């Protein structure tokens, strides 16, 4: 599932590091002004959809595609529009409307996700048309980009974060932000979850549904929570699985994310060193040191790839981080690392990357608001959109003086959180420098939602969205939120727990909502899958 592509992982908070993160990024924008009269959006809400078979060799024959037109700027609907790409599987039984799916990210395109993973959701077609979409700035819907692999933005992510020369570093970061703005077109100024939520309501109306029925994974839970705050009277049956934080800053998430990924890596090494095929041997203490040495060696001497580029230690860190989202991937990760260590073969680890290392698209993608052809979506769209959406959702930006003052302490906090993932996560955080402040709507106004009951699924062993975020978000949303405690592991519960799968389906299909505080035990058959899979 593409929910596993989220790059906002965190498991627990490091108290000292969080205090530093709060100090650095704590100054937000003023509270939102009182609501103003809304401009006339009636022409967008009167749309009728035209469905046709999806084009492309990878598209299932029974998957249908359409588009819906939305304002580029909801405050000025006459200033331009953009098209949002949709796809659906028709209901196999008696339809009670549509069920919207968001697979996470942010930055993951919904249509290829549904095309590839749709079998997981076919039992929901007993009662729904299954519908997904590429959010604005993502996939075919005016995709954002930071340019091809030779640009300044890529250079910042692939080179070391040189804190000894902060002025040079900050100049490069600002150049990277400017490059992304030039490459992305007008949608960049109007990207983010608040606008995507408004698009979601236009989609709901175009589908002919009085209320939104929705299943959102990982980042998709943030989108669902924002929708509930903006349109509480339109909430139908909503499930949020792998619940995102609504309050923690990007800096806090980065520190906790490095720590969480380190914990997941430690769990993987505990397993790996019991297997004869582990490339780091059978000595658990030495295995952790060998991973660190491998990363540092590749940073100093990147190896070539089949694409003609190079593969660095930080590329490896990103690939490992993705593979750690599910225990089911551990055997594949072990084999990929063995190929890299023994033969210098990067193909296995490259399979876990989420963008930024593939062949860049040199086609000029559309900037007129129309849909982009699938083959012309920029290769870096996922990481570029992830950065842009997170940026738009977060109001905190340090000044150059503040960042320079605190950079050494921040680097120490990230390194303490993880000797493997710390630098990677810090580099991601620093890339937000030079970009405009985001909205304060999510932190200040997504709370005390008076809507129909929503089901929030939190997984105890989730390396990306910690269980405490489900509890904290439920407290913020108020009595409308019901928490299901999944005592298993892995990122999100629907695809990894038979119990969660059944309870979510019962709620979505039949309205049978579990009592708040209900739990699902760890799925023994899935927990042992990684141990049993050796070929």
């Amino acid at each position: 599932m593409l929910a596993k592509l989220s790059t906002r992982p965190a498991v627990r908070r490091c108290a000292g590091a969080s205090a530093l993160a709060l100090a650095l990024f704590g100054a937000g924008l003023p509270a939102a002004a009182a609501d103003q009269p809304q401009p006339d959006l009636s022409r967008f809400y009167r749309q009728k959809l035209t469905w046709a078979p999806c084009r492309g060799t990878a598209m299932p024959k029974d998957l249908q595609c359409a588009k819906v037109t939305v304002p580029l700027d909801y405050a000025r609907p006459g200033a331009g529009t953009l098209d949002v790409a949709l796809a659906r599987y028709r209901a196999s039984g008696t339809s009670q409307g549509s069920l919207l799916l968001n697979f996470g990210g942010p930055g993951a395109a919904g249509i290829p996700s549904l095309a590839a993973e749709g079998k997981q959701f076919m039992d929901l077609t007993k009662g729904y048309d299954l519908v997904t979409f590429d959010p604005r700035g993502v996939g075919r819907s005016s995709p954002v980009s930071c340019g091809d692999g030779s640009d300044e933005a890529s250079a910042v992510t692939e080179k070391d974060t040189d804190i000894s020369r902060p002025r040079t570093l900050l100049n490069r970061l600002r150049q990277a932000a400017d490059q992304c703005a030039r490459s992305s077109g007008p949608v960049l100024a109007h990207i983010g979850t608040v606008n995507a939520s408004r698009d979601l309501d236009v989609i709901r109306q175009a589908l002919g549904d009085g209320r939104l029925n929705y299943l959102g994974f990982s980042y998709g839970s943030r989108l669902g929570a924002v929708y509930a705050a903006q349109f509480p009277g339109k909430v139908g049956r909503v499930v949020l699985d792998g619940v995102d934080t609504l309050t923690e800053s990007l800096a806090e998430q980065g520190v906790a994310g490095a720590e969480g990924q380190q914990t997941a890596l430690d769990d993987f090494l505990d397993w790996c060193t019991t297997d004869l095929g582990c490339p780091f041997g059978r000595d658990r203490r030495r295995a952790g040191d060998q991973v660190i040495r491998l990363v540092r060696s590749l940073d100093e001497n990147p190896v070539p790839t089949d694409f003609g580029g190079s593969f660095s230690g930080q590329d490896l860190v990103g690939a490992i981080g993705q593979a750690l989202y599910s225990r089911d991937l551990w055997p594949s990760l072990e084999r990929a690392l063995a190929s890299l260590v023994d033969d210098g073969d990067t193909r296995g680890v490259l399979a876990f990357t989420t963008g930024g290392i593939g062949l860049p698209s040199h086609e000029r993608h559309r900037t007129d608001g129309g849909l982009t052809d699938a083959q012309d979506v920029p290769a870096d769209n996922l990481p570029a959109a992830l950065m842009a959406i997170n940026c738009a959702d977060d109001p905190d930006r340090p000044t150059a003086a503040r960042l320079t003052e605190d950079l050494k302490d921040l680097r120490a906090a990230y390194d303490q959180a993880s000797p493997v993932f710390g630098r990677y996560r810090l580099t991601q955080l620093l890339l937000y420098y030079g970009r405009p402040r985001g909205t304060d709507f999510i932190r200040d106004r997504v709370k005390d939602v008076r809507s129909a009951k929503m089901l929030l699924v939190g997984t105890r062993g989730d390396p990306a969205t910690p269980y405490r975020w489900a509890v904290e978000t439920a407290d913020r949303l108020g009595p409308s939120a019901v928490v299901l405690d999944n005592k298993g592991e892995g990122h999100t519960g629907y695809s990894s727990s038979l119990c969660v799968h059944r309870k979510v389906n019962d709620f979505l299909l039949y309205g049978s909502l579990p009592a708040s505080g209900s739990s699902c035990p760890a799925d023994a058959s899935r927990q042992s899958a990684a141990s049993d899979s050796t070929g």
Side-chain angles (χ1 to χ4, degrees):
M1 283 176 56
L2 278 180
K4 296 188 177 73
L5 293 184
S6 170
T7 55
R8 300 168 55 83
V11 170
R12 60 185 183 275
R13 184 182 308 183
C14 173
S18 289
L20 172 63
L22 283 169
L24 180 59
F25 288 89
L29 294 175
D35 290 337
Q36 300 295 321
Q38 293 296 314
D40 183 13
L41 301 174
S42 58
R43 68 186 180 101
F44 299 100
Y45 278 88
R46 288 196 299 263
Q47 293 179 79
K48 302 295 182 183
L49 300 178
T50 301
W51 295 95
C54 295
R55 293 183 298 173
T57 57
M59 291 292 139
K61 293 182 179 179
D62 55 344
L63 187 66
Q64 298 179 323
C65 282
K67 68 178 181 179
V68 66
T69 301
V70 298
L72 178 66
D73 181 354
Y74 276 90
R76 299 186 302 132
T81 64
L82 59 87
D83 292 335
V84 173
L86 309 174
R88 75 173 178 183
Y89 284 111
R90 296 301 305 271
S92 59
T94 303
S95 177
Q96 50 189 305
S98 301
L99 177 69
L100 270 291
L101 300 173
N102 182 281
F103 297 93
I111 294 175
S113 303
L114 184 62
E117 304 293 341
K119 290 182 179 180
Q120 297 185 54
F121 306 97
M122 284 300 106
D123 42 2
L124 290 168
T125 61
K126 297 175 183 177
Y128 294 102
D129 292 341
L130 292 186
V131 181
T132 193
F133 59 105
D134 292 353
R136 59 170 60 204
V138 175
R140 298 187 62 203
S141 304
S142 300
V144 295
S145 171
C146 288
D148 65 28
S150 63
D151 62 40
E152 189 68 27
S154 295
V156 172
T157 61
E158 292 172 4
K159 294 180 180 177
D160 196 8
T161 305
D162 187 359
I163 64 174
S164 66
R165 303 172 62 194
R167 180 172 298 181
T168 300
L169 171 62
L170 295 180
N171 285 338
R172 289 174 61 223
L173 290 169
R174 186 172 292 280
Q175 290 170 7
D178 291 343
Q179 174 69 32
C180 293
R182 287 192 299 270
S183 299
S184 294
V187 71
L188 187 66
H190 304 285
I191 204 169
T193 304
V194 172
N195 281 326
S197 170
R198 301 195 69 172
D199 296 343
L200 195 57
D201 197 57
V202 174
I203 294 170
R204 173 200 59 77
Q205 180 70 20
L207 291 168
D209 294 331
R211 293 177 181 269
L212 177 73
N213 301 307
Y214 177 82
L215 175 56
F217 298 98
S218 195
Y219 161 77
S221 70
R222 190 199 312 171
L223 177 58
V226 170
Y227 182 89
Q230 288 183 311
F231 305 98
K234 298 297 184 181
V235 171
R237 295 174 185 173
V238 168
V239 177
L240 312 179
D241 185 1
V243 182
D244 206 348
T245 179
L246 299 177
T247 58
E248 293 186 4
S249 69
L250 291 170
E252 289 181 282
Q253 293 169 35
V255 174
E259 187 182 27
Q261 287 180 304
Q262 184 65 47
T263 299
L265 176 61
D266 290 342
D267 291 342
F268 166 75
L269 291 176
D270 288 343
W271 168 83
C272 183
T273 51
T274 65
D275 186 77
L276 289 173
C278 185
F280 306 114
R282 307 293 295 276
D283 187 325
R284 175 61 184 86
R285 290 185 179 181
R286 294 183 60 192
D289 293 336
Q290 288 188 56
V291 173
I292 296 172
R293 286 197 295 271
L294 176 61
V295 170
R296 291 176 178 172
S297 174
L298 287 170
D299 277 332
E300 294 174 0
N301 298 289
V303 297
T305 72
D306 290 345
F307 299 121
S310 61
F311 186 80
S312 70
Q314 296 311 296
D315 295 328
L316 175 62
V317 170
I320 292 174
Q322 294 303 317
L324 292 175
Y325 279 132
S326 171
R327 290 180 64 97
D328 293 342
L329 296 176
W330 285 5
S332 298
L333 177 60
E334 180 188 41
R335 292 191 296 270
L337 288 170
S339 294
L340 178 65
V341 171
D342 296 339
D343 305 317
D345 186 347
T346 62
R347 289 175 296 179
V349 285
L350 278 171
F352 294 111
T353 60
T354 63
I357 295 188
L359 288 171
S361 170
H362 294 284
E363 298 290 336
R364 182 175 180 83
H365 56 279
R366 300 183 63 160
T367 59
D368 60 359
L371 293 183
T372 297
D373 289 340
Q375 66 269 21
D376 292 336
V377 174
D380 73 329
N381 176 238
L382 192 155
L386 181 145
M387 190 187 310
I389 294 168
N390 283 341
C391 226
D393 289 356
D394 188 287
D396 300 331
R397 297 292 182 276
T399 63
R402 185 63 179 272
L403 188 56
T404 299
E405 178 182 351
D406 290 345
L407 193 54
K408 288 184 179 180
D409 289 340
L410 191 61
R411 176 67 181 267
Y414 274 73
D415 285 344
Q416 182 179 5
S418 171
V420 174
F421 296 97
R423 173 186 149 192
Y424 183 86
R425 300 291 300 189
L426 177 58
T427 301
Q428 286 185 324
L429 175 68
L430 293 177
L431 282 167
Y432 293 99
Y433 176 78
R435 290 174 175 250
R437 288 176 179 247
T439 180
D440 57 1
F441 180 90
I442 297 174
R443 285 195 206 162
D444 291 350
R445 300 180 65 180
V446 183
K447 58 184 178 180
D448 303 322
V449 175
R450 299 181 181 275
S451 71
K453 296 284 188 181
M454 296 178 285
L455 180 60
L456 279 60
V457 180
T459 297
R460 291 285 179 168
D462 193 322
T465 50
Y467 178 78
R468 64 175 174 83
W469 282 357
V471 176
E472 292 167 1
T473 298
D475 288 343
R476 275 185 65 87
L477 295 178
S480 62
V482 173
V483 175
L484 176 61
D485 180 357
N486 176 28
K487 298 186 183 298
E489 300 204 17
H491 184 34
T492 72
Y494 188 78
S495 64
S496 61
S497 166
L498 297 175
C499 172
V500 171
H501 194 97
R502 183 177 63 253
K503 288 183 180 294
V504 167
N505 283 3
D506 285 347
F507 173 54
L508 291 174
L509 289 170
Y510 312 115
S512 178
L513 186 68
S516 191
S518 297
S519 65
C520 280
D523 191 326
S525 63
R526 292 183 183 270
Q527 290 292 331
S528 61
S531 298
D532 295 340
S533 177
T534 58

